[in-house]
Amino acid sequence: MMAKQESILIVDDEASIRKLLYQKLSGGGYQCQEASNDEQALAKLKSDLISLVVLDIKMPGKKSGIELLPEIKAVYPDTAVVMATSVTDINTAIQCMKQGAYDYITKPFNLDDVALSLGRALEKRRLELENREYRRHLEDKVAEQATKIRALSLSAIMALANALEAKD
């Protein structure tokens, strides 16, 4: 299978969960990294270009996943985040989605469903980045065309002025 080039950071305090996700996702062609707490996660985000973070909601340490999510989205807005938890609380899920999480997956994982969710999140991220790049190029083209139109207008005005002077 061809490598997808996207890198995924798996942030969970349970080593067995990280290992399970790591094996499934790296087998799917993703470049995976692991972190067991908020500090490790932030260090990896700072040092590497991470496409997607699978973030456990409840982790020991200074910050839980819910507290870490808005920080990730603020500092790394192009990084997609999928929340993972063993607790199915709809209010927590809604809160996470409002803070920028793409999806909310529950433990125990159905690994095929997890892979589909992460694939959709990465596809959405790719489309958002392409759209932003397209808009940027479009704005550049519009500015370039506006400059050409101004130059042509000035040339036309100068030609009319020269024609009027020649007539006089």
Side-chain angles (χ1 to χ4, degrees):
M1 176 176 267
M2 189 173 144
K4 294 178 172 64
Q5 299 303 314
E6 288 101 347
S7 59
I8 297 176
L9 176 60
I10 303 160
V11 184
D12 198 303
D13 58 313
E14 297 178 53
S16 59
I17 297 291
R18 289 194 315 268
K19 182 179 178 182
L20 182 72
L21 289 173
Y22 185 94
Q23 289 174 341
K24 173 67 176 177
L25 298 172
S26 41
Y30 297 105
Q31 297 172 358
C32 296
Q33 297 185 47
E34 299 178 42
S36 62
N37 59 44
D38 59 311
E39 291 175 350
Q40 288 179 3
L42 290 172
K44 290 194 184 279
L45 283 163
K46 187 175 182 178
S47 66
D48 299 321
L49 180 63
I50 303 292
S51 303
L52 183 138
V53 175
V54 178
L55 183 59
D56 187 16
I57 287 180
K58 293 189 178 184
M59 293 184 298
K62 292 180 183 175
K63 296 179 186 171
S64 69
I66 289 179
E67 295 167 325
L68 188 57
L69 172 62
E71 185 174 344
I72 291 172
K73 293 309 289 179
V75 179
Y76 308 99
D78 294 336
T79 300
V81 179
V82 173
M83 304 304 288
T85 188
S86 56
V87 180
T88 54
D89 177 18
I90 194 71
N91 292 327
T92 303
I94 291 170
Q95 178 185 357
C96 291
M97 301 303 248
K98 284 181 179 179
Q99 291 179 343
Y102 174 78
D103 202 357
Y104 184 92
I105 54 178
T106 56
K107 302 172 189 175
F109 298 127
N110 176 327
L111 291 177
D112 292 331
D113 290 344
V114 170
L116 285 173
S117 175
L118 300 184
R120 285 191 306 263
L122 287 167
E123 179 65 11
K124 180 182 179 206
R125 175 187 178 269
R126 183 189 65 78
L127 291 171
E128 287 171 348
L129 292 174
E130 280 181 10
N131 189 15
R132 185 182 318 137
E133 189 67 17
Y134 174 76
R135 284 182 185 178
R136 190 179 65 76
H137 284 300
L138 185 61
E139 289 169 359
D140 291 347
K141 283 282 190 191
V142 167
E144 182 181 315
Q145 290 299 321
T147 302
K148 286 181 182 178
I149 290 170
R150 280 190 210 100
L152 288 172
S153 297
L154 185 59
S155 294
I157 290 170
M158 293 300 289
L160 284 173
N162 290 336
L164 285 173
E165 282 183 20
K167 183 179 177 187
D168 288 342

